[in-house]
Amino acid sequence: MSYKQTKMWTVDNSEDKSRSHAELKEAGLWIKKGEVVAFPTETVYGLGANALDEAAVKKIFAAKGRPSDNPLIVHIANRQQLAELVRDVSAKANMLMDAFWPGPLTLIFHKKAGIAPSVTAGLPTVAVRIPNHPVALAVLAEAGVPVAAPSANLSGKPSPTKAEHVYHDLAGRIAGVVDGGLTGVGVESTVLDCTSDIPVLYRPGGVTKEHIERVIGKIEVDPALHRNDEAPRSPGMKYTHYAPKGELILVEDKSLIQAYVDNEQKRGKKVGVLTTEEAKEDYRADSVIACGKREQLETVATHLYGSLRQFDHEGVDIIFSEIFPEEGVGVAIMNRLSKAAGK
Ligand code: AMP
Ligand code: MG
């Protein structure tokens, strides 16, 4: 499907009056009637469609070029909506919802009938969350239906953290974009399967394993998160993701980066370095991008995808990146960087 024009709605998300905005009403209504509309969440921009409408959900897959076996997360405005979608909600899942919703934690449950089949890619389970962003919550409330929403980027590209990123990838391919400024967390939600006694972590994100274990005790981690030879239990994790056009190489010992840069430049390549505020003066390259502060890993997460897109914008052929400690949100950062580097 192609659109002559992709509508842009601009909202001021600093005011909490978002709910009353005519723009948000219209965006919600378009979703309700079967259109695909992008909107900001606290993680990244999502591309939303009515999760009960198969034709609408198919438009998401078409616009993104997303493989049909990669299921979508259903976004809801409140806990009441959960009952229509899922069954067998465990005590642990209830504790997690009390602790982290609205927020960047997606939970997987056994599904009820009625959800459009493409949302779950034929699985008996469905992934659900309540986002913690006033614009997302207002659009969901106006839509009045559960909304399937993957990241609003072309499949394989870095996820969008600004409306411009969405527009760059999807203009002419979707009905509209709600511009609510830069998203906060910057990496996608944590995905946790709650259908077994001991929940299983499929994707690290803004809510960390430690946060979860403080609430419900020990959880398992899908072995595919650490090993490339394991088939992941979350279909989306098998695909290349988040990748810039340039080749991305993660360098454990940052004292080697400058020599790598010099070497590639000698071979005629346009070279980038992904670093942080603390070290940006240490490098000479065609493009040196400081992605937040190493001392505050949350800021690195916020700016990670925007930085990868900036290298593309500058036509960089090869990017050398520092690595980050795998603590807190650093686990999610390294998961995304490793996937973007094709490992
Ligand atoms: P995205 O919407 O691009 O953030 O990706 C959603 C992620 O959630 C993908 O990695 C999916 O594989 C995962 N996911 C969604 N639904 C399920 C499900 N029912 N079972 C396992 N993983 C799921
Ligand atoms: Mg995605």
Side-chain angles (χ1 to χ4, degrees), residues 283-296:
Y283 305 105
R284 292 167 320 282
D286 296 287
S287 173
V288 177
I289 297 183
C291 170
K293 293 201 183 90
R294 179 170 286 275
E295 285 307 310
Q296 285 168 275

Side-chain angles (χ1 to χ4, degrees), residues 208 210 297 324-332:
T208 67
E210 293 70 32
L297 282 182
F324 295 91
E326 293 195 48
E327 314 160 347
V329 74
V331 178

Side-chain angles (χ1 to χ4, degrees), residues 5-74:
Q5 242 189 332
T6 292
K7 180 152 185 170
M8 266 278 198
W9 295 278
T10 306
V11 298
D12 178 1
N13 68 9
S14 61
E15 300 173 45
D16 210 18
K17 284 182 277 171
S18 2
R19 194 172 239 290
S20 61
H21 286 181
E23 289 83 355
L24 297 170
K25 249 204 163 93
E26 191 176 41
L29 198 65
W30 284 25
I31 291 178
K32 186 179 186 170
K33 68 171 201 215
E35 272 311 336
V36 278
V37 169
F39 56 87
T41 78
E42 82 281 31
T43 58
V44 301
Y45 274 74
L47 181 60
N50 181 350
L52 308 177
D53 177 344
E54 176 68 6
V57 172
K58 282 223 163 92
K59 292 181 188 171
I60 293 179
F61 286 89
K64 283 179 59 83
R66 182 169 173 115
S68 60
D69 67 346
N70 191 359
L72 309 178
I73 295 170
V74 177

Side-chain angles (χ1 to χ4, degrees), residues 64 66 150-151 153 159 188 203 241-242:
K64 283 179 59 83
R66 182 169 173 115
S151 51
N153 52 291
S159 299
E188 299 81 353
R203 178 171 76 182
H241 264 313
Y242 327 116

Side-chain angles (χ1 to χ4, degrees), residues 159-183:
S159 299
T161 50
K162 289 179 181 172
E164 295 97 280
H165 302 156
V166 178
Y167 205 76
H168 177 270
D169 278 16
L170 299 177
R173 303 173 69 91
I174 62 175
V177 186
V178 182
D179 183 351
L182 181 69
T183 59

